[in-house]
């Protein structure tokens, strides 16, 4: 299961389209960058450069725990 962090922007729609095309399970976590939510401690542990979109995989194949990925590069 994936979690996609971000709001309503084209940069967030790109991985959203990918997840839809792959047909994998995911949920969206809304993040309002105009309210500064990208600077919360919890989100910075996922995306250290405070950018959306970011993706977390909760059940990676190696079963070593959640893996986060900053997709903003
Ligand atoms: N090249 C990246 C750009 C990512 C990006 O610019 N994210 C912006 C919003 S669309 C952001 O997180 N801004 C928050 C900030 O800089 O504090 C992409 O295509 O996803």
């Amino acid at each position: 299961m994936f979690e996609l962090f971000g709001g309503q922007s084209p940069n967030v729609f790109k991985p959203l389209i990918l997840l839809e095309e792959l047909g994998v399970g995911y949920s969206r976590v809304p993040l309002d960058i105009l309210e500064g939510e990208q600077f919360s401690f919890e989100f910075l542990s996922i995306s250290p450069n405070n950018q959306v979109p970011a993706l977390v995989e909760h059940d990676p194949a190696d079963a070593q725990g959640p893996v986060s990925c900053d997709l903003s590069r």
Side-chain angles (χ1 to χ4, degrees):
M1 176 62 138
F2 291 88
E3 262 185 331
L4 177 63
F5 290 76
Q8 303 289 325
S9 81
N11 287 335
V12 177
F13 294 156
K14 289 182 278 186
L16 181 59
I17 292 168
L18 174 67
L19 292 167
E20 283 288 333
E21 290 293 323
L22 291 173
V24 297
Y26 72 91
S27 62
R28 293 190 65 182
V29 180
L31 202 106
D32 190 343
I33 61 172
L34 298 180
E35 293 293 327
E37 293 177 353
Q38 73 275 32
F39 299 110
S40 71
F41 180 76
E42 181 189 18
F43 185 66
L44 288 174
S45 69
I46 295 166
S47 178
N49 70 350
N50 59 272
Q51 299 268 304
V52 295
L55 194 66
V56 175
E57 182 178 8
H58 286 280
D59 303 309
D62 65 4
Q64 294 293 312
V67 175
S68 62
C69 177
D70 164 13
L71 301 171
S72 66
R73 296 184 189 159

